[in-house]
Structure formats: structure tokens, C-alpha cells
């Protein structure tokens, strides 16, 4: 419990709960301490029994956790920062100079881990979601207990499912020089032989692995690999699936090959702003998407994001990560929200936690720079959004063509409704790769006959489309041969530049349609208000 105010039923004080996740071991807590930054909390002589919870808090005359469970009151306890902090449970050590030998467990948190903006205000504890997943540093969430926490007993949303999520490499980057690479994983690593060279292999005879050490991370989720000679061009490094997580349960599913290529200094238009959301829905989060529009490799931690052309209102990216040619990086204060709200969980590795400038949602400057050199800049206006959209909250502005001017209104469009109004860490919905001329026949059927009988063969109708540019709203209605409306596929929705709409042969009431001929009536409206219409015929067959 880092932020106990306002209290919802628990004593209004910080606490840490320990749990003895064993069936037969007893521990004397006098051998342990909790370290939080420069603060050291020395635990008293007390026994933690098998499967026992222990509530640890600073002793005060008006505070008593006794009714909630077994307690350990301390005369001195390090304070936890409300918004962001890290702390470690250490055995027999006064320092953390050699963490791999003494750290028993560690936790790091920030407000995003609450995964609930209302609970982040205060009064709710962080709970570990699954005691069987101690290797996952993000395996925490806000308590769902009405009191705000569950000290002394099982967590409110506790799961006992064994974690089978594979070990994965999240990112990697060079450290200080061109002879050291740091590899960061999604989980804490096994302490058994993690520095063994047998886990790693250079695919170049020009570069050899000299040593592997644990990087300076108490979470034990990164390694530092030293090679020689200094990197002059590039080579590929294999991380083998013999590497395992901290409880030796899961490993890499297959060998992971990393390209180690020397980073370069970007010039204008090498890196560009490709998408931006400045007006999120209530409780949502802004984001900015960067795109590597070059054939070079850069470290994003050398970049700065600003809201004017001075250094006053710009922020340096804090996460070190390589961005390769034609890759995307998304920066946001709440990666959890962006992943879930915009169906971007599979792109989580490219969505980084980052404080952003306070852009105005109506009009503001966006500046991307490196070492005081401008890489990309523009001044957006709210009017750049599609004028046919009644509400632009939660709708991003997407760049249409990365090779055209960023300060041109015509090169930006509202993200399509068909993709959830934003495409973080992926190709923009309004990106126009063909730039074709306008046509009266932008819609087409792959096949005009289909049989929605769930036999796995032609079970749905595919209606493809391609516009000359982004920003079109469309309505697509299905009528039977008597002119009766049976299905609204799209009703005045903002579409991407190209895509496919499916019809599974059902009605608006989710009932199956009869065999017969159907008419697809399509109407689309350009951003300037021009209306076009088209009708296509299709046949539902095979259903009696």
C-alpha cells in the first residue's frame, strides 16, 4: 500500500505484505531487510510460517492491523512514493552491491499498474495477481476489495494458474560503447548459469563473445553481453532457448536472432512523427508514434519530444531501445491503456512508457529533435480531423504519406472507425500506398456467391474497397430481392483507405438469411461532402 489516502476501510498507513509461498519452510525475519532507494527497513525477529501472510507497517498508537492478520510492527520503516517506486527484500545484506546473491524478491510500480484511473487517486493497494508468476515484473494490479486491499489474506483477484507465458526479449540496446549490448527480457531470469556463454552464439567470425554479466537491474530481467572487437558494421547474435525464467518453468520458445548494427546520427526526416493522439477519451492517455523512415538504426533514448521550438517544453525519451528501418515506436504515459483500448497488445514491445508534453487538443506544435537538431516538426489544428466526425475524442491523427510534408493538412487524416480510431505501433489506416485516382467503382466482391453454413468453405462474403485518399465515411446496407433491409454492415462509419468488410449471411437480429439474391447498397461521402453510390449483387447459396 503506497498511497493509503483516502482510506476505504483499512488503517490509513503504508504497509508491505510478505507471503511465505512454501509448504514446509520457516523463516526468521531478523535475517531480512527491505531496501527502498536509500532507505533500509530492518525487520525484527519474527517467524514467517509456511503459507503465512505477514503485514509489515510502522508502529503508531492509533494504527492497528491486528484484526486483519499477523503483523510485524516496526519503529522505523522507509516511505513508499505514491506515484512510482521500487523496493527489494534482501537477506543478510546491508547493501545491494551484489544483488544476485542477496535479493529474494523485488517489486517496482507506477500509477499505470493500477490499470484503473479512479483507483490511482489513492486508497487502493497493489496486489500480485498470481503468486505462481513471481518472474513477471508487471504482474500487479489494483485491489478489487471494497476496503482497498487484502492485508493478511489471499489477494482479491488471486490466480493460482501456473504461468506458461514464454520468456521473450523485449528490447536491446548498446551501453556506453560499441562493445556492449544490454538485452532486456519480459521476465526475471533464472540465476542458474544465466551468464553461461553456451546460451549465446555469434553468427560472425569477426566478432566473439567475451563475457556475459547481469545488468544493473534488481528485477534480474536483463543481461549485459560484451563482445570484441568494437562494432564497425553489424553481426547477428543468437539467444538460445536454453535460457529460462526465474523459477525455471518457461524458456524462450525458439532461438531469437538479434541484429547488432552500429547506430547512427539521424538527420531531418530520418525519424518522423507518424501518428498523434492529443485528445484522449476521459480516463484515457495521449500518445505519439514515431516511424523510422530511413535505412539507419537509432537509439530512441537520444531523442527529444517538444511542444515548442525551445528546450523549455521538451522531454528526452528515457527508455533506451533500438529502432530499425521501417519500424514504429509509440510513446505514452499509460501503455496499458493504449494496448487494451486500441487492440494493440500484440505490439506491446513497441509501446513505451514516457511522459509527454502538455499538447493542447485544439492546436499546438509537435517537435522531434536530436541534439538540438530538428528531425520533424509541424503545427497541427483540430480542423485537420475529418469534418464529418461529430466527436474526435480518442481519435488520432494519422500521417497519410511519410515522404510528404508533415506541416501539410492534406497529409493528415483521422484514423478510421474500422480500426478503433487509432493504429498505435502499426501501419496507419489512412496510409495510401497506391495513391490511385478516384473511381466510381471503389468497392468489389472477391466472389459473388457464398454459403454461410459453417462448413469452412466460402462461409462469408468479402467486400473489398480502396479509396483515392483517406477520410471517407460509408454506409453499407444489405437488401433482399424484395427490397427489405436485412443487414446494416456499416452505418456512416469512417473507413480506412483500403480494407475489407465481411458479411456472414446474418440479419441485424443475428438470424440466418434465406437462400437467394441480395443487393449491397453502398454510399460513401468524401471529407468535402461529395456523395457517391454503388450497388452490387450477391447470392446466398447452400442453405435450405
Amino acid at each position: 500500500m503506497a498511497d493509503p489516502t483516502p482510506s476505504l476501510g483499512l488503517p490509513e498507513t503504508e504497509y508491505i505484505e510478505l507471503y511465505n509461498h512454501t509448504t514446509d519452510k520457516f523463516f526468521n525475519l531478523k535475517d531480512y531487510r527491505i531496501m527502498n532507494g536509500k532507505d533500509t527497513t530492518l525487520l525484527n525477529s519474527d517467524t514467517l510460517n509456511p503459507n503465512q501472510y505477514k503485514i509489515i507497517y510502522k508502529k503508531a498508537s492509533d494504527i492497528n492491523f491486528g484484526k486483519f492478520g499477523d503483523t510485524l510492527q516496526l519503529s522505523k520503516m522507509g516511505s513508499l512514493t505514491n506515484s512510482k517506486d521500487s523496493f527489494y527484500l534482501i537477506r543478510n545484506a546491508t547493501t545491494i552491491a551484489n544483488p544476485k546473491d542477496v535479493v529474494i524478491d523485488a517489486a517496482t510500480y507506477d500509477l499505470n499498474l493500477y490499470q484503473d484511473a479512479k483507483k490511482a487517486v489513492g486508497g487502493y493497494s497493489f496486489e500480485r495477481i498470481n503468486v505462481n508468476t513471481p518472474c513477471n515484473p508487471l504482474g500487479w494490479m489494483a485491489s478489487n476489495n471494497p476496503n482497498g486491499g487484502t492485508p493478511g489474506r489471499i489477494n482479491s483477484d488471486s490466480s493460482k494458474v501456473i504461468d506458461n507465458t514464454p520468456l521473450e526479449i523485449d528490447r536491446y540496446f548498446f551501453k556506453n560503447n560499441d562493445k556492449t549490448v544490454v538485452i532486456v527480457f519480459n521476465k526475471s531470469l533464472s540465476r542458474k548459469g544465466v551468464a553461461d556463454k553456451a546460451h549465446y552464439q555469434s553468427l560472425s567470425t569477426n566478432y566473439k563473445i567475451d563475457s556475459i554479466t547481469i545488468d544493473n537491474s534488481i528485477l534480474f530481467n536483463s543481461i549485459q553481453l560484451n563482445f570484441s572487437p568494437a562494432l564497425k558494421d553489424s553481426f547477428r547474435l543468437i539467444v538460445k532457448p536454453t535460457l529460462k525464467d526465474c523459477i525455471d518453468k518457461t524458456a524462450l520458445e525458439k532461438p531469437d536472432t538479434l541484429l547488432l548494427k552500429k547506430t547512427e546520427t539521424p538527420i531531418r526526416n530520418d525519424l518522423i512523427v507518424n501518428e498523434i493522439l492529443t485528445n484522449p477519451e476521459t480516463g484515457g492517455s495521449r500518445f505519439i508514434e514515431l516511424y523510422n523512415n530511413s535505412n539507419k538504426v537509432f537509439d530512441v533514448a537520444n531523442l527529444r519530444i517538444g511542444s515548442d521550438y525551445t528546450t523549455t517544453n521538451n522531454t528526452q525519451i528515457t527508455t533506451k531501445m533500438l529502432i530499425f528501418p521501417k519500424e514504429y515506436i509509440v510513446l505514452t504515459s499509460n501503455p496499458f491503456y493504449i494496448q487494451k483500448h486500441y487492440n494493440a497488445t500484440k505490439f506491446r514491445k513497441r509501446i513505451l512508457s514516457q511522459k509527454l508534453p502538455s499538447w493542447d487538443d485544439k492546436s499546438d506544435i509537435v517537435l522531434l529533435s536530436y541534439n538540438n537538431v530538428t528531425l520533424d516538426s509541424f503545427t497541427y489544428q483540430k480542423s485537420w480531423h475529418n469534418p464529418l466526425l461529430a466527436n474526435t475524442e480518442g481519435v488520432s491523427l494519422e500521417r497519410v504519406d511519410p515522404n510528404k510534408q508533415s506541416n501539410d493538412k492534406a497529409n493528415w487524416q483521422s484514423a478510421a472507425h474500422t480500426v478503433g480510431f487509432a493504429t498505435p505501433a502499426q501501419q496507419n489506416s489512412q496510409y495510401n500506398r497506391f495513391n490511385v485516382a478516384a473511381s466510381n467503382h471503389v468497392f468489389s466482391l472477391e466472389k459473388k456467391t457464398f454459403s454461410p453454413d459453417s462448413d469452412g468453405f466460402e462461409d462469408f462474403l468479402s467486400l473489398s474497397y480502396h479509396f483515392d485518399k483517406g477520410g471517407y465515411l460509408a454506409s453499407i446496407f444489405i437488401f433482399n430481392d424484395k427490397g427489405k433491409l436485412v443487414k446494416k454492415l456499416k452505418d456512416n462509419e469512417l473507413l480506412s483507405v483500403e480494407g475489407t468488410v465481411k458479411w456472414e449471411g446474418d440479419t441485424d437480429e443475428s438470424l440466418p438469411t434465406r437462400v437467394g439474391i441480395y443487393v449491397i447498397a453502398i454510399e460513401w461521402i468524401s471529407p468535402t461532402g461529395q456523395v457517391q453510390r454503388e450497388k452490387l449483387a450477391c447470392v446466398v447459396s447452400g442453405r435450405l
Side-chain angles (χ1 to χ4, degrees), residues 169 183 197-204 209 225 235-242 252 254-260:
I169 294 175
I183 305 173
K197 291 183 183 179
H199 295 306
Y200 317 91
Q201 177 186 354
S202 170
L203 292 182
S204 172
I209 300 171
L225 188 145
F235 74 98
R236 294 187 182 274
L237 173 75
I238 292 181
V239 182
K240 298 180 181 179
T242 51
L252 292 171
K254 58 183 179 180
D256 201 339
T257 303
L258 310 182
L259 174 62
L260 302 186

Side-chain angles (χ1 to χ4, degrees), residues 388 440 442-443 463 465 467 472-479 489-495 520-526 529-536:
L388 302 176
N440 289 329
V442 298
F443 289 84
L463 177 64
Y465 62 88
F467 294 109
Y472 282 87
L473 271 69
S475 296
I476 306 174
F477 296 164
I478 309 291
F479 295 86
L489 289 179
K490 300 291 178 184
D491 191 359
N492 210 35
E493 290 187 11
L494 180 60
L495 299 186
I520 307 170
I522 310 163
E523 179 181 273
W524 62 98
I525 308 172
S526 73
Q530 295 173 309
V531 179
Q532 296 185 67
R533 297 179 178 87
E534 186 172 358
K535 290 184 179 181
L536 299 172

Side-chain angles (χ1 to χ4, degrees), residues 181-200:
V181 63
V182 175
I183 305 173
V184 182
F185 296 82
N186 64 328
K187 293 184 174 185
S188 300
L189 298 169
S190 171
R191 305 184 190 187
K192 300 175 183 177
V194 66
D196 191 335
K197 291 183 183 179
H199 295 306
Y200 317 91

